[in-house]
Tab-separated table of all heavy atoms in Angstrom:
chain	number	residue	atom	x	y	z
A	193	THR	N	16.955	-18.367	6.338
A	193	THR	CA	17.470	-16.989	6.262
A	193	THR	C	16.355	-15.999	5.933
A	193	THR	O	16.573	-14.790	6.002
A	193	THR	CB	18.564	-16.841	5.192
A	193	THR	OG1	18.009	-17.231	3.930
A	193	THR	CG2	19.784	-17.675	5.513
A	194	ALA	N	15.188	-16.509	5.529
A	194	ALA	CA	14.124	-15.576	5.119
A	194	ALA	C	12.748	-16.130	5.469
A	194	ALA	O	12.562	-17.343	5.584
A	194	ALA	CB	14.205	-15.330	3.622
A	195	SER	N	11.801	-15.216	5.611
A	195	SER	CA	10.400	-15.590	5.817
A	195	SER	C	9.701	-15.580	4.457
A	195	SER	O	9.872	-14.636	3.681
A	195	SER	CB	9.758	-14.569	6.766
A	195	SER	OG	8.351	-14.686	6.727
A	196	VAL	N	8.936	-16.633	4.178
A	196	VAL	CA	8.221	-16.718	2.898
A	196	VAL	C	6.717	-16.692	3.165
A	196	VAL	O	6.215	-17.439	4.020
A	196	VAL	CB	8.627	-17.994	2.126
A	196	VAL	CG1	7.724	-18.214	0.923
A	196	VAL	CG2	10.083	-17.904	1.691
A	197	ARG	N	6.036	-15.804	2.469
A	197	ARG	CA	4.580	-15.643	2.585
A	197	ARG	C	3.980	-15.592	1.185
A	197	ARG	O	4.718	-15.368	0.230
A	197	ARG	CB	4.270	-14.334	3.321
A	197	ARG	CG	4.966	-14.257	4.675
A	197	ARG	CD	5.344	-12.851	5.009
A	197	ARG	NE	6.079	-12.783	6.267
A	197	ARG	CZ	6.146	-11.703	7.022
A	197	ARG	NH1	5.523	-10.601	6.659
A	197	ARG	NH2	6.839	-11.698	8.136
A	198	VAL	N	2.688	-15.741	1.069
A	198	VAL	CA	2.072	-15.687	-0.263
A	198	VAL	C	0.842	-14.783	-0.260
A	198	VAL	O	0.200	-14.596	0.767
A	198	VAL	CB	1.639	-17.086	-0.768
A	198	VAL	CG1	2.838	-17.992	-0.966
A	198	VAL	CG2	0.623	-17.732	0.169
A	199	ASP	N	0.550	-14.257	-1.445
A	199	ASP	CA	-0.669	-13.466	-1.632
A	199	ASP	C	-1.411	-14.038	-2.834
A	199	ASP	O	-0.859	-14.131	-3.936
A	199	ASP	CB	-0.302	-11.995	-1.892
A	199	ASP	CG	-1.520	-11.077	-1.871
A	199	ASP	OD1	-2.650	-11.580	-1.733
A	199	ASP	OD2	-1.333	-9.855	-2.004
A	200	ILE	N	-2.671	-14.421	-2.617
A	200	ILE	CA	-3.456	-15.057	-3.683
A	200	ILE	C	-4.312	-14.022	-4.417
A	200	ILE	O	-4.864	-14.315	-5.471
A	200	ILE	CB	-4.390	-16.156	-3.087
A	200	ILE	CG1	-3.711	-16.938	-1.960
A	200	ILE	CG2	-4.902	-17.106	-4.159
A	200	ILE	CD1	-2.508	-17.749	-2.339
A	201	ASN	N	-4.448	-12.845	-3.827
A	201	ASN	CA	-5.303	-11.798	-4.418
A	201	ASN	C	-6.667	-12.350	-4.825
A	201	ASN	O	-7.119	-12.133	-5.958
A	201	ASN	CB	-4.615	-11.108	-5.601
A	201	ASN	CG	-3.549	-10.113	-5.167
A	201	ASN	OD1	-2.382	-10.307	-5.434
A	201	ASN	ND2	-3.941	-9.061	-4.461
A	202	THR	N	-7.290	-13.095	-3.924
A	202	THR	CA	-8.687	-13.576	-4.028
A	202	THR	C	-8.926	-14.689	-5.061
A	202	THR	O	-10.070	-15.027	-5.345
A	202	THR	CB	-9.700	-12.429	-4.333
A	202	THR	OG1	-9.583	-12.030	-5.703
A	202	THR	CG2	-9.490	-11.209	-3.464
A	203	ALA	N	-7.868	-15.282	-5.614
A	203	ALA	CA	-8.074	-16.163	-6.781
A	203	ALA	C	-8.630	-17.547	-6.463
A	203	ALA	O	-9.120	-18.230	-7.361
A	203	ALA	CB	-6.755	-16.312	-7.545
A	204	TRP	N	-8.555	-17.995	-5.203
A	204	TRP	CA	-8.965	-19.369	-4.914
A	204	TRP	C	-10.421	-19.471	-4.457
A	204	TRP	O	-10.951	-18.574	-3.784
A	204	TRP	CB	-8.079	-19.956	-3.802
A	204	TRP	CG	-6.701	-20.361	-4.266
A	204	TRP	CD1	-6.283	-20.527	-5.554
A	204	TRP	CD2	-5.568	-20.638	-3.434
A	204	TRP	NE1	-4.958	-20.899	-5.576
A	204	TRP	CE2	-4.494	-20.981	-4.295
A	204	TRP	CE3	-5.343	-20.645	-2.053
A	204	TRP	CZ2	-3.219	-21.307	-3.815
A	204	TRP	CZ3	-4.080	-20.980	-1.581
A	204	TRP	CH2	-3.042	-21.318	-2.455
Side-chain angles (χ1 to χ4, degrees):
T193 58
S195 165
V196 170
R197 305 147 183 204
V198 296
D199 189 356
I200 322 296
N201 283 115
T202 74
W204 284 345

